[in-house]
Amino acid sequence: MVDMTWFEAIVLGVVQGLTEMLPVSSSAHLRLTSALFFQEDAGASFTAVTQLGTETAVLIYFWKDIVRILVAWWKGLWDKEQRGVTDYRLGWYVIIGTLPIVFFGLIFKDAIRDGARNLWLVAFSLIFFGLLLALAELVGRKTRTWDDFRMKDGLILGFAQAGALIPGVSRSGGTITAGLFIGLDRAVAARYSFLLAIPAVFGAGILSLGDVFEPATEGSVPSGAQMLVATVIAFIVGFGAVHWMLKWVAKHSVFIFVWYRCLLGVAVVIMLETGFLSAT
């Protein structure tokens, strides 16, 4: 293990903020950034904690929506007449949709922190799930709105979110892909993706706080101050990224992300084949 430098903490904070909200996988980008420019991998725990910054940005950005959903959900618990309201149902959809990532995250905790960070797996995930996103964009009807959203949809997107435990899959990428396949409008799929991530990311980040400073595997270890600065930077950059992402998907296809993922994945394969990068 080596001590993280301030430059590394700042760069990784920016990378986290830029990529967490986009369907390109922040964990893959943090892993690649460490492999290309720094001595050691910052690790999965560092990723989970910096995600607290980006999810705080999401929390603030969607604050009015979140409060409205929570109020409707609470009222619906006691008043049957409120249970037909979309926001009441959405509250349950987020709760139920969070369960898959909690289940798989606890079961595969050790694998996620070690073997899943192999760069061959990252490259494959970037390419394969990029092509899957392209297919979803091509075949998805993109006509279903919040009024058409049902519990099974929330659960499907919840399982898709669990795929983001593997670096290279992408939390928003997986859920948007699943949403498009089941006919959701892009903006609806993206907004639900961001809402769904809040409980999962805050839970993972808080549970990972101790592991950042005492990692189970070799890697780069930040100080408390560096961890705080990286998280704050991720928050600031992430706030702009979530705004841009929602504006983009409302008017454009997701092919820009497909091309980016595939080109990056191919570049990683070439660097691994030529020995420029080591897979572990």
Side-chain angles (χ1 to χ4, degrees):
M1 291 182 287
V2 299
D3 292 335
M4 180 175 288
T5 66
W6 274 104
F7 180 66
E8 183 180 359
I10 292 169
V11 169
L12 293 179
V14 172
V15 171
Q16 167 62 30
L18 283 174
T19 58
E20 172 67 21
M21 305 306 172
L22 310 182
V24 296
S25 179
S26 63
S27 56
H29 279 76
L30 289 175
R31 175 71 179 91
L32 285 168
T33 301
S34 292
L36 285 168
F37 303 109
F38 302 111
Q39 187 175 350
E40 297 283 349
D41 180 15
S45 295
F46 180 89
T47 301
V49 175
T50 53
Q51 285 175 341
L52 290 175
T54 46
E55 285 310 310
T56 301
V58 172
L59 192 67
I60 293 174
Y61 193 90
F62 288 105
W63 181 249
K64 291 183 179 179
D65 293 336
I66 293 168
V67 170
R68 191 184 67 247
I69 291 167
L70 287 174
V71 169
W73 179 78
W74 181 254
K75 286 182 178 179
L77 291 178
W78 312 103
D79 185 355
K80 291 182 178 180
E81 293 183 0
Q82 296 290 326
R83 295 176 186 175
V85 177
T86 299
D87 286 334
Y88 169 78
R89 299 199 310 270
L90 188 55
W92 277 115
Y93 300 161
V94 171
I95 293 171
I96 299 301
T98 301
L99 296 180
I101 198 168
V102 173
F103 176 76
F104 290 112
L106 291 174
I107 289 179
F108 298 110
K109 179 179 179 181
D110 293 335
I112 293 165
R113 292 180 177 176
D114 189 9
R117 298 184 72 77
N118 184 286
L119 286 180
W120 280 112
L121 179 59
V122 169
F124 171 80
S125 298
L126 284 169
I127 296 169
F128 178 78
F129 288 98
L131 294 174
L132 202 62
L133 177 60
L135 181 61
E137 174 71 35
L138 289 171
V139 304
R141 291 182 287 114
K142 297 180 280 292
T143 56
R144 298 180 61 206
T145 65
W146 287 121
D147 292 335
D148 306 309
F149 206 94
R150 297 293 180 265
M151 182 67 77
K152 67 176 182 179
D153 302 319
L155 195 56
I156 289 171
L157 268 65
F159 275 101
Q161 177 182 236
L165 293 168
I166 302 172
V169 174
S170 170
R171 188 186 312 276
S172 61
T175 49
I176 291 173
T177 298
L180 291 175
F181 270 126
I182 61 177
L184 292 177
D185 173 77
R186 281 192 219 96
V188 170
R191 291 181 79 87
Y192 181 74
S193 171
F194 293 147
L195 292 173
L196 184 64
I198 293 173
V201 170
F202 272 106
I206 292 169
L207 290 174
S208 297
L209 281 170
D211 296 325
V212 170
F213 307 110
E214 295 182 6
T217 58
E218 293 295 317
S220 181
V221 182
S223 66
Q226 289 170 337
M227 192 72 258
L228 177 61
V229 168
T231 304
V232 170
I233 291 173
F235 161 75
I236 295 169
V237 178
F239 193 88
V242 67
H243 178 74
W244 180 86
M245 177 64 181
L246 289 172
K247 294 292 184 182
W248 178 268
V249 297
K251 299 179 180 180
H252 304 86
S253 76
V254 295
F255 281 112
I256 185 175
F257 306 112
V258 172
W259 282 109
Y260 175 79
R261 289 179 63 104
C262 290
L263 289 172
L264 180 60
V266 170
V268 174
V269 169
I270 293 172
M271 287 187 284
L272 288 169
E273 284 285 1
T274 58
F276 186 80
L277 282 179
S278 171
T280 57

